[in-house]
Amino acid sequence: MSDDKYWDDARGDVDIASTRALSRRSVLQLAGAVTASTTIPEAFANTTPAAAPTPAAAIAAKVSFSVNGVRHSLELDPRQSLLDVMRERLELTGTKKGCNQGACGACTILVNGKRIVSCLTLAAMHSGAEITTIEGLASNGDLHPVQEAFIKHEGFQCGYCTPGQIISAVGCIAEGHAGSAEEIQFWMSGNICRCGAYPGICAAVADAAGRN
Amino acid sequence: MTMNVIGKPVARVDGRDKVTGRALYAAEFNQSNQAYAVIVNATVGLGRITGIDQAAVAKMPGVLSVLSHLNAPKLAYRPHKGSIDPKTGERLHVLQDEAVRFHGQPVALIVAETLDSAERAAAALRITYEAQRPIIDIADPDARAIVPESGRDHTRGDAEAAFANAPVNLKASYDIARENHNPMEPHATVAVWKGDKLTLWSKSQYVVNEQAEIAAIFGIPLENVQVICPFIGGAFGTSLRTWSHVTLAAMAARVTQRPVKLALTRKQMFFTTGHRPRTLQHVAIGATQDGKLTSLIHEGTGETSRYEQFSEALVASSSYLVSCPNVTTRYRLAALDTGTPVFMRGPGEASGVFALESALDELSYKLNIDPIELRRRNEPKLDEGVNKPFSSRSLIRCYDVGAERFQWLNRMPQPRSMLDGRLRIGIGVASATYPAYQAQSSARVRLLASGIAEVEVAASDMGPGTYTSMTQVAAETLGLPIDKVRFSLGRSDFPPAPSHGGSWTMASVGSAIRAACISVLEEAKKRPSTDRPLEATATTQRDAGVAGRFSMHAFGAVFAEVAIDPDVGTIRVRRALGVYGAGRIINPLLATSQCTGGMIGGIGMALMERTVLDRRDGRPVNAHMADYLMPVNLDTPKIEVQFVDEVDPHVNPLGVKGLGEIALVGMAPAIANAVFHATGKRIRRLPILLEDMLHA
Ligand code: FES
Ligand code: FES
């Protein structure tokens, strides 16, 4: 599904791994952290505009945190949200942007074990944090019990709210807020599911909470 | 050989990708050297741009390009109308002139190195306008009334005379708010030009149409455009058309010669990507004392834009849902200074059935006849609108099954008669219906020597489970286990599929897959031993003979129980049941989810959702997910879904009628009828608000 079939066209002869690695570096550079020479992949070099990229921000904040057990030391625009840093900088696109307004929960991640909406917090505020995103839940290919329960109980349809729901569910269970169906409904109401998969979400949280 | 996988509750084949974050949505196809585009929207509701201070913003850090009608490339905008586009009118030509047609119209585009730089520049761009007062209210006397060219009026008998002579009659008017689809995934496009070839990773429910539309807009050959969309984060109709942001992403990529990502903000999702039009409806019913309808007049007006005629089947179901010798339906449009609406889940029927089913409920109280009994007395033997038999119709069976399961007989018939402590309890019911369409689709199947079958169609999966259900169809037809079938969708270079909407994906794409599988099996019989892959492509469409002989629709009965707090006016749906006769159910697990989700959408329509426009400038004042209310987890009642066994040998080879739309139709009237039962207050305006319940 999310396999190469959907990537190939524009890549031409550039292989995916190096393209995406370069992408990370070039974005880093453009954010003003690096002033080194070009990192634009050759395949695209002939289409690059003549003007050198202008640094995007005059000031850069130094931040270091760990995401899913991997330490990242970044220099970034201090105005960037944690969500944008995940999605556009670290390429952890499992965390979703639904509203960018703190109102939907699609961007929920765990920061030091607590669930927060990553669109409403600045990345620069989280130095030293231990962050968990949807990509970090499964270990060695084994799904987290909450992930398994979401599949088993049809806790999603389109899947876009799902990473946020699952992370939120992990938080909800850890907080001890999964004691009854009503409690689950209440404490999971910060995560909107427009597909309306709520009954499945509740069943999944209850199941996973029981197993833990 | 049959594997009997159709009808089985197969778990989603893409489940693992979705719970691990590996499923990639349009905005996640990051490209190397990618730039970001952000749209600047008009802040007046009508008028023209008098000045844009582009130079100031062009100097801001990271900005690569600032585009407006002053310097944007003139695009070809060749004529193109896909099956999903309004037949009358002309699409918005973006950044091609200084005219502002509605609030939020894109008027400039910033392209920058990072999203943040683009957003900052967009916020800083100063634009001056010459503004006029827009007409944005369908009830505004200045709104131009149009008889839509799509013409959907229906007349049989003499409804006016029969109404005047009816022993019992009632007249009522209904007002349903504009809604926005608000899928969780915002629209997004990543555009990459390589020479004169364009690739778009773009959120679309209709990739082959997006390909054709963009090729027409840029004046390039169809085969130069590739549209890719493996996953859709919900859409409900908003991604059926190719809106202006797709053009802008491609334009930005061409001007800067860089891959460009453009994602709409949540606020922008209220401007240019369609909406369920607000509707005003009038229903007049005449009946005998024993509840037999003698006259039905149903008139409705929907919003459209000034530049296109968007029309939907608002009043169509009144010609076939109930038996009545004298019927008139009229459909009109009001042309407003807003963007063009688009189909939203259960388009037309969701609004029209609300009016009809509210009126029928009202009639049942007037006559002191049980609401279900009233439906029974008016159950038609055939589609009286077109004088054809139904291919199948299980409405009364749905009512019977539902009445038993919902314990309808425990309901006290009188309004305001049921209490739970201080809460007023109401139980209501309504019919649901939606046409069973089938459109032309193709599919390709390849049998590999390894025993794997690859199936490809340019179809979409916005959530119902196309990946899974099509895998089941192929596995069953080929006699293979599920895990030997690899189904792919969402590429415009795959065999074409129709738009992913109108509840016709299974009927259309499923039928094509089945046909391709059958022909590849025949091929295999001819060449029993070969190492080379066997391949077959098939194209199917509705059998014209069947279409001429039958009226084809799905039907359902929807039950709702509400609890209303008389002191603060809060309305809670406590339990709900949807019973549907929708032909064969391919996967009961997915079907139940789909219907549950539709019913929850119906709760939103009944009690929460409305896009409110500022009369002065057409600005949507609640373009925010905290202000545009939608059902959350705690709003969800105990919901049950049931399917009655229905074998329809005519509708299509798979015998399916589709579920996505009908699941939302019927819920809002069931709730409004329950509200009446609880309070004795007939609310004819959606959403029903707290203040409507004051002194309930
Ligand atoms: S994207 Fe953060 S709450 Fe919606
Ligand atoms: S699964 Fe689609 S929004 Fe929740």
Side-chain angles (χ1 to χ4, degrees):
Chain A
M1 250 125 278
S2 52
D3 57 13
D4 274 3
K5 189 169 264 172
Y6 298 108
W7 275 104
D8 56 8
D9 295 76
R11 279 183 294 142
D13 39 25
V14 184
D15 80 89
I16 213 173
S18 65
T19 308
R20 303 192 81 202
L22 279 165
S23 154
R24 268 194 285 279
R25 262 173 46 216
S26 50
V27 174
L28 241 168
Q29 172 200 31
L30 299 167
V34 191
T35 51
S37 59
T38 179
T39 54
I40 294 159
E42 267 175 47
F44 293 92
N46 57 346
T47 63
T48 307
T54 331
I59 35 166
K62 283 194 176 70
V63 190
S64 155
F65 45 57
S66 109
V67 185
N68 304 327
V70 178
R71 183 140 297 278
H72 294 272
S73 295
L74 307 168
E75 285 188 34
L76 43 77
D77 184 327
R79 295 165 294 192
Q80 275 190 308
S81 72
L82 193 50
L83 173 61
D84 282 343
V85 169
M86 292 298 145
R87 283 177 65 84
E88 309 299 335
R89 182 87 179 257
L90 303 179
E91 295 214 9
L92 292 167
T93 56
T95 306
K96 305 302 183 197
K97 184 184 277 190
C99 66
N100 214 28
Q101 299 166 326
C104 77
C107 63
T108 307
I109 59 176
L110 295 175
V111 173
N112 300 325
K114 265 188 65 179
R115 48 177 171 160
I116 63 165
V117 284
S118 60
C119 68
L120 278 197
T121 191
L122 299 173
M125 294 160 58
H126 293 282
S127 236
E130 300 282 335
I131 295 169
T132 304
T133 69
I134 191 71
E135 290 92 345
L137 275 193
S139 58
N140 304 323
D142 289 337
L143 294 184
H144 185 281
V146 174
Q147 290 172 310
E148 269 178 23
F150 265 68
I151 296 178
K152 180 171 151 204
H153 295 281
E154 272 277 294
F156 54 90
Q157 291 178 37
C158 77
Y160 198 81
C161 73
T162 311
Q165 300 277 3
I166 289 175
I167 292 285
S168 198
V170 171
C172 176
I173 293 168
E175 292 155 19
H177 286 143
S180 68
E182 207 167 63
E183 202 183 17
I184 292 170
Q185 283 199 285
F186 184 90
W187 290 95
M188 289 297 292
S189 276
N191 291 80
I192 295 178
C193 176
R194 185 57 159 164
C195 296
Y198 297 125
I201 292 168
C202 288
V205 176
D207 188 354
R211 271 197 279 168
N212 280 358
Chain B
M1 173 167 109
T2 167
M3 299 300 287
N4 287 321
V5 286
I6 286 189
K8 292 281 174 319
V10 175
R12 288 176 188 262
V13 298
D14 50 351
R16 204 183 162 91
D17 282 340
K18 285 182 175 174
V19 301
T20 53
R22 279 191 2 237
L24 292 178
Y25 301 82
E28 293 156 11
F29 285 89
N30 285 323
Q31 303 295 311
S32 58
N33 198 31
Q34 172 179 282
Y36 292 78
V38 168
I39 295 173
V40 182
N41 306 87
T43 53
V44 301
L46 184 67
R48 62 182 202 90
I49 301 161
T50 53
I52 303 186
D53 191 5
Q54 293 185 203
V57 160
K59 290 200 276 294
M60 289 178 69
V63 172
L64 297 167
S65 180
V66 182
L67 295 167
S68 73
H69 70 283
L70 298 173
N71 62 336
K74 292 294 164 226
L75 301 178
Y77 274 105
R78 285 188 192 148
H80 170 256
K81 284 193 195 300
S83 60
I84 209 68
D85 299 315
K87 301 285 166 285
T88 307
E90 174 58 20
R91 72 255 221 235
L92 187 72
H93 292 198
V94 71
L95 304 193
Q96 302 294 294
D97 60 36
E98 79 280 6
V100 175
R101 291 159 187 85
F102 59 91
H103 183 98
Q105 176 189 315
V107 288
L109 187 70
I110 309 287
V111 196
E113 295 288 356
T114 66
L115 179 58
D116 297 71
S117 333
E119 283 173 346
R120 233 157 267 137
L125 185 66
R126 294 180 53 127
I127 304 179
T128 52
Y129 301 92
E130 198 179 275
Q132 297 160 27
R133 185 186 81 93
I135 295 170
I136 50 92
D137 187 341
I138 188 173
D140 192 318
D142 291 337
R144 196 159 60 91
I146 300 176
V147 181
E149 290 186 12
S150 59
R152 293 175 186 269
D153 294 356
H154 169 77
T155 300
R156 62 176 185 260
D158 187 343
E160 312 281 346
F163 180 81
N165 298 329
V168 184
N169 63 28
L170 70 86
K171 263 187 182 184
S173 299
Y174 303 87
D175 183 351
I176 302 178
R178 171 194 287 228
E179 291 182 82
N180 278 91
H181 308 67
N182 273 308
M184 293 304 298
E185 181 203 9
H187 287 271
T189 301
V190 175
V192 179
W193 288 90
K194 255 190 135 186
D196 57 356
K197 294 226 187 321
L198 172 65
T199 302
L200 301 167
W201 285 267
S202 190
K203 179 174 184 176
S204 171
Q205 291 170 256
Y206 197 4
V207 289
V208 290
N209 185 63
E210 184 136 318
Q211 172 193 33
E213 171 72 346
I214 292 298
I217 290 173
F218 283 84
I220 56 177
L222 194 68
E223 56 274 15
N224 283 17
V225 181
Q226 168 74 293
V227 179
I228 301 176
C229 183
F231 288 99
I232 298 174
F236 317 107
T238 182
S239 295
L240 287 167
R241 293 192 75 187
T242 291
W243 303 106
S244 55
H245 63 271
V246 183
T247 305
L248 291 175
M251 181 195 281
R254 192 155 87 170
V255 168
T256 59
Q257 299 192 29
R258 297 266 296 268
V260 167
K261 182 197 291 195
L262 190 164
L264 296 192
T265 63
R266 180 55 56 179
K267 186 174 173 182
Q268 288 172 333
M269 304 270 292
F270 288 77
F271 296 151
T272 50
T273 54
H275 52 272
R276 187 196 298 284
R278 180 178 163 200
T279 52
L280 298 179
Q281 300 180 73
H282 308 288
V283 175
I285 295 184
T288 60
Q289 289 292 354
D290 60 356
K292 189 77 194 76
L293 298 201
T294 56
S295 169
L296 172 59
I297 302 167
H298 188 171
E299 300 172 332
T301 304
E303 299 175 319
T304 189
S305 67
R306 290 240 193 208
Y307 54 95
E308 286 175 312
Q309 280 189 20
F310 168 79
S311 62
E312 57 182 7
L314 179 63
V315 295
S317 55
S318 285
S319 73
Y320 68 84
L321 191 51
V322 285
S323 172
C324 182
N326 303 294
V327 177
T328 294
T329 69
R330 283 189 205 101
Y331 177 54
R332 299 293 177 264
L333 296 175
L336 305 175
D337 298 310
T338 69
T340 307
V342 78
F343 303 108
M344 178 167 162
R345 199 168 194 177
E349 277 77 3
S351 308
V353 167
F354 170 74
L356 176 62
E357 287 295 310
S358 296
L360 287 175
D361 194 66
E362 193 163 346
L363 181 68
S364 76
Y365 286 96
K366 208 165 175 171
L367 294 170
N368 238 328
I369 298 175
D370 175 86
I372 296 178
E373 178 57 26
L374 184 79
R375 267 64 170 202
R376 204 185 300 279
R377 291 185 193 176
N378 290 288
E379 174 69 0
K381 298 218 164 27
L382 79 170
D383 181 334
E384 296 171 5
V386 292
N387 257 315
K388 287 178 200 169
F390 292 103
S391 59
S392 59
R393 171 164 169 143
S394 309
L395 179 61
I396 297 302
R397 218 151 29 103
C398 291
Y399 272 115
D400 289 342
V401 167
E404 179 163 348
R405 195 175 183 108
F406 212 64
Q407 299 180 314
W408 179 257
L409 290 179
N410 292 348
R411 164 186 179 269
M412 319 232 284
Q414 280 311 106
R416 297 176 67 85
S417 61
M418 293 177 73
L419 289 172
D420 178 0
R422 39 187 287 284
L423 301 178
R424 294 211 165 277
I425 305 301
I427 298 176
V429 74
S431 303
T433 183
Y434 197 78
Y437 294 119
Q438 182 184 349
Q440 180 173 309
S441 179
S442 300
R444 180 165 56 222
V445 179
R446 213 176 295 115
L447 280 183
L448 307 183
S450 60
I452 298 283
E454 292 179 343
V455 183
E456 293 170 342
V457 190
S460 310
D461 188 348
M462 63 174 150
T466 314
Y467 275 113
T468 309
S469 55
M470 296 303 164
T471 301
Q472 286 176 263
V473 170
E476 169 113 0
T477 317
L478 294 169
L480 288 175
I482 288 277
D483 60 358
K484 295 283 187 232
V485 175
R486 306 273 150 78
F487 173 70
S488 311
L489 50 66
R491 280 182 64 110
S492 57
D493 58 355
F494 284 166
S499 60
H500 181 41
S503 298
W504 68 19
T505 296
M506 181 47 76
S508 312
V509 178
S511 295
I513 289 175
R514 183 174 170 275
C517 289
I518 289 171
S519 54
V520 88
L521 286 178
E522 277 162 12
E523 194 63 21
K525 265 188 230 143
K526 278 185 238 153
R527 295 196 292 147
S529 56
T530 173
D531 296 344
R532 282 184 299 135
L534 295 169
E535 189 178 294
T537 302
T539 299
T540 52
Q541 58 196 337
R542 173 155 275 165
D543 181 298
V546 166
R549 285 202 309 281
F550 293 105
S551 164
M552 293 175 272
H553 302 268
F555 294 91
V558 184
F559 295 74
E561 176 181 306
V562 299
I564 296 166
D565 186 321
D567 298 323
V568 285
T570 48
I571 307 169
R572 271 189 180 283
V573 181
R574 293 217 294 200
R575 27 178 215 128
L577 166 68
V579 187
Y580 304 98
R584 182 144 72 145
I585 301 303
I586 301 292
N587 182 329
L589 202 62
L590 303 181
T592 302
S593 293
Q594 196 179 5
C595 289
T596 307
M599 290 170 72
I600 292 172
I603 295 176
M605 182 180 190
L607 302 177
M608 299 166 200
E609 296 184 39
R610 55 171 175 165
T611 301
V612 180
L613 304 183
D614 188 320
R615 281 162 178 276
R616 294 166 302 178
D617 58 6
R619 177 189 311 258
V621 296
N622 60 335
H624 189 296
M625 266 186 148
D627 297 323
Y628 182 96
L629 302 184
M630 296 182 276
V632 300
N633 206 319
L634 200 56
D635 296 313
T636 311
K638 181 173 178 294
I639 293 193
E640 283 187 291
V641 171
Q642 217 176 326
F643 303 103
V644 300
D645 284 331
E646 186 180 77
V647 178
D648 190 325
H650 310 297
V651 66
N652 50 57
L654 288 165
V656 300
K657 289 184 171 176
L659 290 170
E661 324 302 322
I662 195 174
L664 190 143
V665 180
M667 191 67 194
I671 292 171
N673 294 345
V675 166
F676 175 80
H677 181 239
T679 64
K681 282 191 156 196
R682 179 65 62 185
I683 310 297
R684 302 185 185 87
R685 190 186 57 215
L686 296 184
I688 302 172
L689 302 172
L690 255 63
E691 48 266 42
D692 294 323
M693 293 295 102
L694 285 181
H695 317 295

